[in-house]
Amino acid sequence: MHWATILIVAGLCGTSLGQYNEEEDMAWLQYYMRQSRMSSYNYVPYYEDDNTPYVYSYLPAPDTEAEPGPEPQQAPSWQCPQECDCPPNFSSAMYCDTRHLRYLPFVPSRMKYVYFQHNQITAIQEGAFDNATELEWLALHNNQIASEKMGKKVFAKLKRLERLYMNNNNLTKVPSPLPRSLRELHLSYNQISKVPSTALEGLENLTALYLSHNFIFEMGASLKGLKSLILVDLSYNHLRKVPDGLPMALEQLYLEYNYINAIPDDYFKVSPKLLYVRMSHNSLTNQGLSSNTFNSSSILELDLSYNRLQKIPRVSTNLENLYLQGNQINEFSISSFCSVVDVMNYSRLQVLRLDGNEMKRSAVPPDAPLCLRRATVIEI
């Protein structure tokens, strides 16, 4: 009887220890991706115009502190807060989303993935996550969090945090300091107006930065030290100049819907892996561009639609998609695509949009089919 009891206890301990493994992490990830509306890092380029327009109204930060909820209790590390759901099969995940919360409940130390999105949270008190040092994903989007109501070092102890979602809040500045482990930072749909050069300092692991739909008029050299950055979205802001010092690893740059009118010489040369550049709905003119600004062999897609261009800028023969609709172009210059036109020299361009310009179809030169032999769509 004594030995049977020992074997039973050992079996239960083995089961308990087996809960914390990689298979569990994959299971909760699949579960969450099926049920959450959370935005994720999408390596496939997109167009804002293809989606239903997002109507957003800013919620002003209240003049006084919101009525506090019950004081978070220092519950045992295994216990789940009564306001949230901690599924037994996903013991490292805590779901507190869409529950009309006005405060952050206690986060048990075992948690890796915590979801507070779609609530009415206005503040993050100092030390809110000091107990949860294992956090990897933290979702705080679609709340009413204001910068002045955040503790100065709320993320300081999260040494393993990889993804931080704070889009759709009332932030007026980039939270700082941020963990060096961060890989994705989502700050779209806030009220940020300026990103100081030191705001993103030390984030050498950051691969994706989302800052669209803010009021940013100045970026300075804040991107310069982000050596792992692959995607940066600064669309729908108030920028009048491009950010200084693009990272070498950058592959996707989104700057549409700003007020940019010029690009420095060799601006894109420092990013030899750059594939997608989107600068539609700006104020670009030919006077603000050098002759080879966009002649970068790595770029596959270039969107310059709805600017003030009068001539087709010179592009690389490797370019596959070029969007120039809605400009003031009045001539079709074949030299923009092919410096030499013959059997061996031709453009890889597949899609060319020139509709909505001041050009007629008769302006297309007779040697265009030889240069643009790969094109399947040409709109004039």
Side-chain angles (χ1 to χ4, degrees):
M1 182 65 181
H2 177 70
W3 287 105
T5 301
I6 292 175
L7 290 172
I8 291 171
V9 171
L12 291 174
C13 290
T15 302
S16 177
L17 292 172
Q19 290 178 353
Y20 299 92
N21 54 36
E22 295 182 359
E23 292 182 0
E24 177 201 74
D25 288 348
M26 291 304 299
W28 81 258
L29 178 57
Q30 293 171 1
Y31 170 86
Y32 179 70
M33 294 304 290
R34 287 196 302 269
Q35 300 203 9
S36 173
R37 297 180 179 178
M38 176 187 77
S39 62
S40 61
Y41 174 42
N42 185 354
Y43 204 57
V44 179
Y46 64 92
Y47 273 109
E48 291 281 351
D49 292 343
D50 293 339
N51 300 323
T52 303
Y54 187 94
V55 180
Y56 181 77
S57 59
Y58 292 114
L59 298 171
D63 295 331
T64 59
E65 292 284 348
E67 183 179 345
E71 186 69 24
Q73 300 296 317
Q74 292 299 310
S77 62
W78 53 266
Q79 188 171 329
C80 184
Q82 62 180 0
E83 304 93 337
C84 306
D85 179 25
C86 305
N89 293 335
F90 315 122
S91 58
S92 58
M94 186 170 85
Y95 297 89
C96 311
D97 53 300
T98 321
R99 294 165 197 247
H100 306 290
L101 296 178
R102 295 181 179 275
Y103 62 95
L104 288 171
F106 173 77
V107 182
S109 60
R110 73 176 188 275
M111 294 303 169
K112 294 182 180 179
Y113 318 99
V114 179
Y115 305 97
F116 293 113
Q117 70 269 27
H118 297 285
N119 282 296
Q120 287 92 47
I121 299 168
T122 60
I124 304 178
Q125 65 273 22
E126 194 74 76
F129 306 113
D130 284 4
N131 183 63
T133 56
E134 300 297 310
L135 276 181
E136 295 179 13
W137 286 28
L138 179 55
L140 290 161
H141 52 287
N142 290 93
N143 277 285
Q144 301 169 25
I145 300 169
S147 295
E148 62 272 17
K149 294 186 179 181
M150 288 181 60
K152 293 182 179 180
K153 297 182 178 181
V154 291
F155 306 120
K157 294 187 178 181
L158 303 182
K159 306 298 185 182
R160 299 187 179 183
L161 190 67
E162 294 186 357
R163 300 189 183 188
L164 177 59
Y165 297 85
M166 295 196 72
N167 40 299
N168 295 84
N169 275 285
N170 292 331
L171 299 177
T172 53
K173 60 182 180 180
V174 176
S176 182
L178 292 166
R180 291 175 178 265
S181 56
L182 209 59
R183 294 184 180 276
E184 289 187 23
L185 179 57
H186 297 254
L187 295 172
S188 298
Y189 291 98
N190 276 285
Q191 302 174 28
I192 299 168
S193 60
K194 185 178 180 180
V195 182
S197 296
T198 58
L200 304 171
E201 194 171 39
L203 301 184
E204 295 184 354
N205 295 308
L206 194 68
T207 60
L209 175 62
Y210 298 90
L211 280 165
S212 68
H213 293 87
N214 277 280
F215 300 112
I216 300 171
F217 66 89
E218 184 177 342
M219 283 292 294
S222 55
L223 303 179
K224 200 166 187 177
L226 307 180
K227 65 179 184 180
S228 299
L229 195 65
I230 292 175
L231 180 153
V232 57
D233 187 353
L234 286 163
S235 58
Y236 293 88
N237 275 289
H238 293 174
L239 292 173
R240 295 189 177 276
K241 57 178 291 188
V242 291
D244 296 332
L246 294 183
M248 285 187 63
L250 195 65
E251 296 182 9
Q252 301 183 46
L253 176 63
Y254 303 140
L255 289 167
E256 56 262 51
Y257 288 93
N258 278 284
Y259 301 95
I260 300 167
N261 57 22
I263 301 175
D265 293 348
D266 299 325
Y267 180 68
F268 300 110
K269 300 292 184 183
V270 297
S271 301
K273 298 180 180 179
L274 193 60
L275 299 174
Y276 307 102
V277 177
R278 300 213 174 114
M279 299 190 68
S280 68
H281 297 273
N282 275 280
S283 302
L284 290 174
T285 65
N286 290 98
Q287 289 73 30
L289 306 175
S290 69
S291 59
N292 285 302
T293 297
F294 299 110
N295 191 11
S296 173
S297 60
S298 66
I299 299 177
L300 298 180
E301 180 174 292
L302 177 60
D303 189 349
L304 300 174
S305 58
Y306 301 99
N307 276 279
R308 300 176 184 174
L309 299 175
Q310 294 180 318
K311 296 181 180 180
I312 301 173
R314 184 179 176 127
V315 296
S316 167
T317 54
N318 291 327
L319 189 68
E320 295 181 358
N321 300 288
L322 177 59
Y323 302 94
L324 289 167
Q325 67 270 26
N327 277 279
Q328 302 168 15
I329 299 171
N330 54 25
E331 63 174 307
F332 193 111
S333 174
I334 201 66
S335 61
S336 297
F337 309 102
C338 300
S339 56
V340 177
V341 182
D342 57 31
V343 176
M344 299 300 295
N345 296 281
Y346 57 91
S347 170
R348 276 73 176 172
L349 203 66
Q350 298 175 18
V351 175
L352 174 59
R353 292 277 310 268
L354 283 165
D355 44 309
N357 279 282
E358 301 173 7
M359 182 192 310
K360 298 180 179 179
R361 284 185 171 272
S362 58
V364 179
D367 52 354
L370 188 59
C371 170
L372 303 175
R373 68 187 72 174
R374 290 280 188 88
T376 56
V377 175
I378 298 180
E379 295 278 351
I380 297 178

